[in-house]
Amino acid sequence: MELKLNTPLGTYTEPEYKEEGIQQMARFIRTMLNDYGIYNVQFNTVDKDVLIEAKSNPEKYPTLMVRTSGYSAYWTDLGERVQNDIINRTEHNL
Amino acid sequence: MAAKDMFTGAKWGLSIRDGQSAQVGSTPRIQALNGMMHAERPNCDIFRAKVLTEVYRQTEGEPAMRRRYKASAELYRRFKPVIYDHERLAGWPASRIRGVQLAIDMHAHWLENEIDQIRTREYDPFEISDEDLKELKEDFIPYWKDKTPASLWAKYLPEDEIHRSQEGGFADVINYVASHGSHFLPDYPYLMEHGLKGQYETAKKCLEELDPDDPDSIDKNEFYTGLLEVLLGIKELAENYSDLARKMAGTEDDPERKQELLKMADCMKHVPWNPPRNFYEAIEIVWFVLCILFIEGAGPSVTYGRFDQYMYPFYKQGIEDGSLTPELAMEYIEELYIKTTANPWLLATDLAYYFGGYFRYPHLDVGGLDKNRRDASNELSYLCLRAMRYVKTTAPSVSLLLHQKTPDDLLIEACKLSAEGMGHPSFFNMDTLVSILEARAGGLQGRSPYSVDQILEWGSPIGCVEPGVMGQQYGHTDSCMINVAYAPTLVLTHGIKPDNVDGWGCGERLSYDNGFISQYTTFEKFYKAVKDQIEFAIKEAHRDSVIVEKIFAEQFQLPTYTLLLRGAVERGVDAASGGALCNIGPTIQSVGFGTLVDSITATKKVIYDDKEATIEELAEALSSNFVGYEDLRQKLEAAPKYGNDDDYADDIAMDVWKFFANTVRSLKNYRGGYIDPAVQMVQAHVGFGAKTGATANGRYAGRPLSDTMAATQQEDKSGIMAAIRSYSKMDYPAYTNGTVLDMWIKGSDLINK
């Protein structure tokens, strides 16, 4: 089903999704979970250069959220060592 | 850029995120509520501390259960409701938005030293008024500091073990000792059908039928008498909200708001005592139950579970009779998300560093299967995912329970949410969840008490990933942390913690001495010693945590958790003492799995296979943090790594993965179940890394360990498919308390920016 909602006073603007990228992500998740039996996965999808920029200029990113691990947090609320650790993880291409 | 280095941590984050920057949502009401939450600062409420202290002083010498139950009943009766503008869901666990009830009975021992820094600390600071601070320091902390579980627990242990198990950095139980009343899937399905009234009638009947000649009736009489008072207390609390809403309606000028308040008054008169009559009353129950659990309990991870399942009948009814639209349902869901996010978790300062960001780990699931193994998804599943795109809150963790039968459209909806970059949703494999729950708390030979129908119908992750069944399970699910990455190093340091790392005990014993290093003449002998170290840590943490479990069971009963368990009232046993069908925990988690695997692998490759250095040289290199051994460090770093579909490393990964799980699952808890293992400890790999000396994968002392079950940072170099082929080799059902895997997909592959 496709959800059609009428929210004229809402703040949300749908981003321009890359149809092929979204489809590929869906196939990738099916492979991981349905085929390979992996129990859980969660994704960070903020570009790494955005996090590096947000670390230098946090005042411009008050509501930037990231997946730390098992939960989401505001980027600016994390300690510096945690921020560095997240930036240091591997950013994969699909 | 030295100055900017200070610009991290919640203290700083809060200073730039105000009510203006976060006014997002699908309607003006939601935007206003979101703004109100962000305009507030996390704050401590001492109401719980005050009531608890009073009740405990009045009941000195009375049975432990009577005192706990009386305290909970009094908390609900005396709580002063507040209703804010724009709200339709009534209830808060504290007197202000973003408040936390200070659980003085859990925290007094550390508060004694840290209370003066609580307002200004870098990670997760809390506001508190001067008067409240004074009352805490002069009255509540002195009364409670020797009565907390941690203080009582310390009486069982030698001094060095107390420090080692809380601050040493190898085998750690600190998160368990201070967060009791946690990790819970309330029996929402029961409340939707019967309301609390159902439990009241059951408890009353059980009390009447007690046989006074049966010695069991002594405790059960306390139990039922206390529980009935707690139930009436909750009823009174809801009615107090109803009265306030009605009173506010009387003076409200805006006719639309007046109607909303009258509707709220009507709702709170009815639920949670009675079963809900519509979607609004049902979602009010969902929220109100979280509030009371956060008034009574100190810990995290009260979880909404299979929300799209128990709410759907009300959704369908509302759409059919015209009283509800998808947009209105989503607005309620967004309000629930905002209010859920507004519950901070108060932690001791060193734990706030591990778990920073105030998150209290609520969790909401959609999708999955029903008990007939059909796809269970419905329109609400989509709305719950879409709502998060509009409202953009950190909580709850929204999850998709994925199965082969899950429609592609729902998975695409979830991927679109994921592409937005907030970290929502988590994806869970429904089949693996079922396998895990069939084995939960059953040990290596046995199985869980759950039926397959129960698992399919109400199985759900708690907190981050820990599996449970709604209304059937109680127990802490992130109790002990074992820093497995430390084990190879400790083999080579004779169990002594190296110098110049964080935490208690540099130069002190963290583990036992395996003896001369020269005995490790083969890889097999070295590997066996690594496993011995891991086993030592698991068993020490287990012994220490089961003492805490016993203290909780005997003295820290949880009446509200009990009455939200199915069958606990009939059994006449409190949640903390084993009242659930499935009594899990204290669980044991591994931290630094990838670092461990890479360290063993590098030692095998460099020392034993290629003989590029001796084991004694490796020991020297690790104790000196590679000073003078850069060449060796680079060789270790170049060895095969976990996460590249290379069996040289992955064979070790599979074996040590299984070893950890089996060792944990052979141990029993105090309430009669077996201990469950997990790989899940959120950000703990950073804090534990700071306490860990150099490791044999070429990692310098103090650096972060690998994250949860993922490959070491930057070492999964062979692409995303090779990484997941490595992960696919692990035995997931063996981890009966779940596993976390974090991955990073480049956002610009998913969205044009």
Side-chain angles (χ1 to χ4, degrees), chain A residues 1 6 9 12 16 18 30 33 39 41-42 44-47 56 65 67 71-72 81 85 88 90 92, chain B residues 4 31 327 353 356 406 408-409 418 420-422 426 429 465 685 713-714 716 743-744 747-748 750:
Chain A
M1 64 168 291
N6 182 23
L9 301 174
Y12 180 67
E16 201 183 311
K18 289 186 173 170
R30 288 252 191 230
L33 272 56
Y39 171 59
V41 65
Q42 46 218 329
N44 243 338
T45 61
V46 181
D47 277 1
S56 306
M65 277 159 63
R67 195 72 176 187
Y71 70 107
S72 293
R81 287 195 285 188
D85 175 64
N88 190 37
T90 313
H92 285 289
Chain B
K4 277 209 170 159
Q31 293 149 27
E327 288 83 1
Y353 184 80
T406 303
D408 284 336
D409 284 350
S418 190
E420 300 248 347
M422 296 180 280
S426 302
N429 177 341
V465 298
H685 64 283
Q713 297 83 342
Q714 304 291 345
D716 42 348
M743 294 194 87
W744 193 346
S748 43
L750 306 169

Side-chain angles (χ1 to χ4, degrees), chain B residues 339-530:
Chain B
K339 298 189 77 160
T340 305
T341 301
N343 284 284
W345 188 23
L346 174 68
L347 288 163
T349 304
D350 46 356
L351 277 172
Y353 184 80
Y354 288 161
F355 298 91
Y358 300 104
F359 202 73
R360 209 165 171 175
Y361 301 89
H363 190 131
L364 183 150
D365 302 290
V366 302
L369 297 174
D370 68 12
K371 68 177 170 192
N372 299 310
R373 293 186 188 271
R374 283 177 305 197
D375 166 50
S377 68
N378 57 52
E379 197 170 351
L380 262 183
S381 325
Y382 292 78
L383 278 172
C384 289
L385 294 170
R386 185 67 64 88
M388 191 50 92
R389 279 205 254 164
Y390 280 78
V391 76
K392 298 189 194 305
T393 49
T394 53
S397 278
V398 180
S399 295
L400 173 63
L401 304 182
L402 186 72
H403 189 268
Q404 281 92 339
K405 294 176 187 173
T406 303
D408 284 336
D409 284 350
L410 185 61
L411 176 57
I412 295 289
E413 179 75 33
C415 288
K416 286 184 170 171
L417 171 58
S418 190
E420 300 248 347
M422 296 180 280
H424 300 294
S426 302
F427 296 87
F428 286 89
N429 177 341
M430 185 74 195
D431 282 335
T432 310
L433 178 75
V434 172
S435 303
I436 291 174
L437 284 167
E438 284 178 329
R440 187 79 147 135
L444 286 167
Q445 313 293 331
R447 48 156 299 142
S448 73
Y450 298 132
S451 72
V452 176
D453 279 6
Q454 284 172 331
I455 293 171
L456 287 168
E457 196 173 14
W458 300 117
S460 161
I462 300 169
C464 308
V465 298
E466 307 95 283
V469 174
M470 301 199 72
Q472 303 286 10
Q473 176 173 301
Y474 186 75
H476 195 287
T477 65
D478 56 6
S479 322
C480 311
M481 302 180 257
I482 306 298
N483 175 2
V484 290
Y486 229 143
T489 303
L490 289 171
V491 169
L492 301 177
T493 62
H494 302 278
I496 304 293
K497 183 168 173 175
D499 287 332
N500 301 319
V501 285
D502 281 6
W504 173 88
C506 286
E508 303 274 341
R509 182 158 297 288
L510 276 191
S511 180
Y512 75 109
D513 184 357
N514 293 46
F516 296 115
I517 290 168
S518 55
Q519 70 181 295
Y520 307 122
T521 50
T522 63
F523 170 69
E524 286 67 30
K525 286 180 183 168
F526 171 76
Y527 187 32
K528 167 74 169 55
V530 172

